[in-house]
Amino acid sequence: MNILITGGAGFLGSRLARELLQRGRLAGRPIDSLMLADLFAPGDAALTRDPRVRSLAGDLMDSLPTLFAQRWDAVFHLASAVSAECEADFDLGLRANLDTTRALLDACRRQTADGHAPVLFFFSSSVAVYGSDPALPLPAVVGDDTLPTPQSSYGIHKFVCEQLVADYTRKGHIDGRAARLMTVSVRPGRPNGAASGFLSGMLREPLAGLPSNCPVPLDTPVALSSPATTVAGILAVAEASREAFGGRTAINLPALSLRVRDMLDALVDFAGPEAAALVGHEPDAATARIVAGWPARFDSPRARALGLQADPDFHAVLRQYAQDHPDAVKPPAARPRPTPAR
Amino acid sequence: MNILITGGAGFLGSRLARELLQRGRLAGRPIDSLMLADLFAPGDAALTRDPRVRSLAGDLMDSLPTLFAQRWDAVFHLASAVSAECEADFDLGLRANLDTTRALLDACRRQTADGHAPVLFFFSSSVAVYGSDPALPLPAVVGDDTLPTPQSSYGIHKFVCEQLVADYTRKGHIDGRAARLMTVSVRPGRPNGAASGFLSGMLREPLAGLPSNCPVPLDTPVALSSPATTVAGILAVAEASREAFGGRTAINLPALSLRVRDMLDALVDFAGPEAAALVGHEPDAATARIVAGWPARFDSPRARALGLQADPDFHAVLRQYAQDHPDAVKPPAARPRPTPAR
């Protein structure tokens, strides 16, 4: 099987690649090659040393002719301009998210027209499709049939691409599936400008012995997914039979619903009060307003039917982070303490 | 006010144009000019004689540079490749419905960028956005917050364009509103190949003394809107304040819910049993299956809040048709009989 991952040098794309290489198979077939296409070359040396891995750096739209000089059996389309980029540059967002996805779908369609089996196409959508339209506020619990009313260009693009993936699938041009990823925490690496950044940074920096800030009230409800749970969800959706996936509408991946306070409590449990003491509480009204607009509770029977489960609690999420990134965790935090009575 | 109607030579576009010219104003401002852009020139001589009216025939995408050599205050975007065309030619559908709408939105955006007030932009969406995805069957009554899961390329295109109109509006590039039109009955003119064609032809042909056919079971539920009610809905949405319209999500225009049997009963009431006797009952399984997938009952509080009401009953719809098209109704039918006891 020859697999293309767009956004393959990014955090989730690389993690998905590593998981695929470790499994060695996708949908029951051995993996022959894995192409990581991204704006930049993958930085993970362990990944690029694998003889099955190739990479191509550059704008995805421009790369498509090169990429589709060969045939793909599966495409994981993770590449996307992010929310802040789309808000800052309307045309860039349309090109990177809509036009590029359309061109990628058409490249896949040409493969099918040439007589090959429709490519297995995973589209990475986002919980950002949900926003509160004044006329149609979100329900307290978002279900599989909740109407998305995106309130950002990024959310609009994701929702539009879901529709295109569904129609290309209906027509038999691809075997497409779209899943909405939750906010991923704990992301490794450095702080970024995303409104959701603190949901990783608030934990990641103290675990490394660095100060961080929580810009929202402690009782703010949020919905999260660890990197491992997110990648497991992507693969389960990609490998599901069409019958098990059910229809062609995007599904919501599972979410751990909790309050920001619960995240900090888990940090105390996991790394001690000295780590939690590194978290400042400088409020940021703009961030608080954005985060308050995100849905925080989900009922996702379609994900459950695929056997998908949310992370059990945030302590498990922190444990996963420490195991995956031992170098990013300072010694005291690297030794999980016995859980104190709450 | 300078107004552009795409699809302006079509049945609904012409009717909208006549209504606008008769009112003389839109959103409180006098109408200076009305451009009817369509694949073909308008056939309605009374319309084209009006000195305020101009027309441009040709592919809309190709016409945009010519059309936007001037500035528009309002655009009614009604032009669309229809369902059967989109199913038959995937690329044509994408170009006519997605790419052209995007180009039109960008032309409007450039006006705003040049310092003009954002154009009032009405987007004609369709009840065809609703389809039954196997994983998420439609509820018995479709509400304003029901998730559309389109099952045709046409429905996908309409739903996608709704999203684009919402985002261009959110960013201030246009003052956009999208409304989903119901199946319009009774359409004048000749039979067409649409699956919904019989919902007009079944009445229109017998009223003209011609045979017709009802290809579906008599208890099939349907949701309809007369041409006058549809145009009234378009204008109410266009003229609503943003507050009254509420948010940026497309609204469902009102629908008269009834069974096919009720339509034929109204035909007997209105034109006598001799007219109804012209309706054959040759079943067509394909049409019956398609029509059975359409939602037939709606609860539309947003439309009600705009003061919009469905046609009161189908007898009123037939009366409207006979008044609007006296030449298309044979003498006995042109004299409404007293309503017999039902």
Side-chain angles (χ1 to χ4, degrees):
Chain A
M1 214 175 202
N2 298 304
I3 302 175
L4 167 63
I5 305 181
T6 75
F11 154 59
L12 266 185
S14 303
R15 185 156 188 139
L16 173 64
R18 284 193 299 272
E19 181 70 24
L20 281 167
L21 292 170
Q22 196 188 317
R23 294 187 182 193
R25 309 175 76 83
L26 176 68
R29 293 167 57 193
I31 295 171
D32 302 307
S33 76
L34 197 55
M35 167 66 86
L36 309 178
D38 211 322
L39 284 173
F40 47 94
D44 179 346
L47 191 57
T48 48
R49 265 199 307 271
D50 190 299
R52 293 167 292 180
V53 171
R54 288 171 298 148
S55 68
L56 184 66
D59 179 90
L60 181 54
M61 179 80 96
D62 299 336
S63 299
L64 287 178
T66 308
L67 288 171
F68 278 80
Q70 81 156 89
R71 186 171 66 81
W72 301 104
D73 300 295
V75 173
F76 291 87
H77 182 34
L78 272 50
S80 183
V82 301
S83 187
E85 291 173 303
C86 296
E87 290 306 310
D89 187 336
F90 194 75
D91 284 308
L92 174 146
L94 286 168
R95 175 184 154 88
N97 294 353
L98 280 200
D99 298 336
T100 302
T101 299
R102 169 96 169 271
L104 177 60
L105 288 168
D106 281 332
C108 292
R109 174 158 76 109
R110 279 191 294 275
Q111 285 195 173
T112 312
D114 287 345
H116 301 292
V119 67
L120 177 59
F121 190 102
F122 176 88
F123 176 65
S124 174
S125 186
S126 165
V127 67
V129 300
Y130 294 108
S132 253
D133 183 281
L136 295 165
L138 279 180
V141 178
V142 167
D144 285 342
D145 60 355
T146 296
L147 173 68
T149 55
Q151 302 296 307
S152 68
S153 293
Y154 176 78
I156 291 278
H157 300 159
K158 289 294 186 186
F159 195 43
V160 164
C161 290
E162 288 181 8
Q163 307 301 321
L164 295 179
V165 167
D167 206 42
Y168 278 67
T169 298
R170 186 183 64 84
K171 296 291 278 187
H173 300 316
I174 60 169
D175 173 9
R177 301 104 191 282
R180 299 181 188 130
L181 276 54
M182 296 291 140
T183 299
V184 176
S185 174
V186 181
R187 282 181 173 267
R190 299 183 49 74
N192 62 22
S196 61
F198 78 95
L199 292 169
S200 286
M202 195 175 72
L203 301 311
R204 183 183 59 222
E205 314 326 347
L207 287 172
L210 300 170
S212 73
N213 186 47
C214 172
V216 306
L218 289 180
D219 60 354
T220 304
V222 293
L224 306 173
S225 174
S226 71
T229 296
T230 303
V231 167
I234 293 172
L235 286 171
V237 166
E239 295 194 316
S241 70
R242 284 233 66 92
E243 294 65 37
F245 183 66
R248 290 178 297 270
T249 304
I251 79 164
N252 296 327
L253 289 184
L256 169 62
S257 291
L258 73 178
R259 291 182 183 268
V260 167
R261 179 191 311 281
D262 303 322
M263 301 172 73
L264 294 176
D265 286 351
L267 182 65
V268 173
D269 286 359
F270 184 76
E274 59 276 18
L278 290 166
V279 182
H281 293 275
E282 190 79 37
D284 181 292
T287 300
R289 199 171 50 244
I290 293 171
V291 176
W294 295 342
R297 288 175 61 207
F298 291 83
D299 180 35
S300 306
R302 292 179 65 203
R304 279 200 301 279
L306 290 180
L308 295 175
Q309 291 193 317
D311 296 284
D313 56 43
F314 202 72
H315 196 285
V317 174
L318 291 176
R319 205 161 49 230
Q320 181 190 122
Y321 177 77
Q323 280 165 2
D324 292 340
H325 307 281
D327 297 348
V329 177
K330 282 239 167 172
R335 297 188 303 270
R337 297 147 43 99
T339 305
R342 292 180 188 228
Chain B
M1 217 178 199
N2 298 304
I3 302 176
L4 167 63
I5 306 181
T6 75
F11 154 59
L12 267 184
S14 303
R15 185 157 188 137
L16 173 64
R18 284 193 298 272
E19 180 71 23
L20 281 167
L21 292 169
Q22 197 188 316
R23 295 188 181 192
R25 308 175 77 83
L26 176 68
R29 293 168 57 193
I31 296 172
D32 303 306
S33 77
L34 197 53
M35 168 66 86
L36 310 178
D38 212 320
L39 285 173
F40 47 95
D44 178 346
L47 192 56
T48 49
R49 263 199 307 272
D50 190 299
R52 292 167 291 180
V53 171
R54 287 171 300 148
S55 68
L56 184 67
D59 178 271
L60 180 55
M61 180 80 95
D62 300 337
S63 299
L64 287 176
T66 307
L67 288 170
F68 279 80
Q70 82 157 87
R71 186 171 65 82
W72 301 105
D73 300 295
V75 173
F76 291 87
H77 181 34
L78 273 50
S80 184
V82 300
S83 187
E85 292 173 303
C86 296
E87 291 305 310
D89 188 336
F90 195 75
D91 285 307
L92 175 146
L94 286 167
R95 176 184 152 87
N97 294 353
L98 280 200
D99 298 338
T100 302
T101 299
R102 170 95 168 272
L104 177 60
L105 288 168
D106 281 332
C108 292
R109 175 157 74 108
R110 279 191 294 276
Q111 285 194 173
T112 312
D114 287 345
H116 301 292
V119 67
L120 178 58
F121 190 100
F122 175 88
F123 176 65
S124 174
S125 186
S126 165
V127 67
V129 300
Y130 294 110
S132 251
D133 182 282
L136 295 165
L138 278 180
V141 178
V142 167
D144 285 342
D145 60 354
T146 296
L147 172 68
T149 54
Q151 302 296 308
S152 68
S153 293
Y154 176 77
I156 291 277
H157 302 159
K158 288 295 187 187
F159 195 44
V160 164
C161 290
E162 288 181 8
Q163 307 302 320
L164 296 178
V165 167
D167 205 42
Y168 279 67
T169 298
R170 186 183 64 84
K171 296 291 279 187
H173 300 315
I174 60 170
D175 173 9
R177 301 102 190 282
R180 299 180 188 132
L181 276 53
M182 297 290 140
T183 300
V184 176
S185 174
V186 180
R187 282 180 173 268
R190 301 183 49 74
N192 62 22
S196 61
F198 77 95
L199 291 169
S200 286
M202 196 174 73
L203 301 310
R204 184 184 56 223
E205 315 325 349
L207 287 173
L210 300 171
S212 74
N213 187 48
C214 173
V216 306
L218 288 179
D219 60 354
T220 304
V222 293
L224 305 173
S225 174
S226 71
T229 297
T230 303
V231 167
I234 292 171
L235 286 172
V237 167
E239 294 194 317
S241 70
R242 284 231 67 91
E243 294 64 37
F245 183 66
R248 291 177 297 270
T249 304
I251 77 164
N252 297 326
L253 289 185
L256 170 61
S257 293
L258 73 177
R259 294 184 181 267
V260 168
R261 180 191 312 282
D262 303 322
M263 301 171 74
L264 293 177
D265 286 351
L267 182 65
V268 172
D269 286 359
F270 184 75
E274 59 277 18
L278 290 166
V279 182
H281 293 276
E282 189 80 38
D284 181 292
T287 300
R289 199 170 51 244
I290 293 171
V291 176
W294 295 342
R297 289 175 61 207
F298 290 83
D299 179 37
S300 306
R302 292 178 65 203
R304 277 200 302 279
L306 289 180
L308 296 174
Q309 292 193 316
D311 297 282
D313 56 43
F314 202 70
H315 196 283
V317 174
L318 291 177
R319 205 162 48 231
Q320 181 189 123
Y321 177 76
Q323 281 165 1
D324 292 342
H325 306 280
D327 297 347
V329 177
K330 282 239 166 175
R335 298 190 300 272
R337 296 145 45 100
T339 305
R342 292 178 187 229

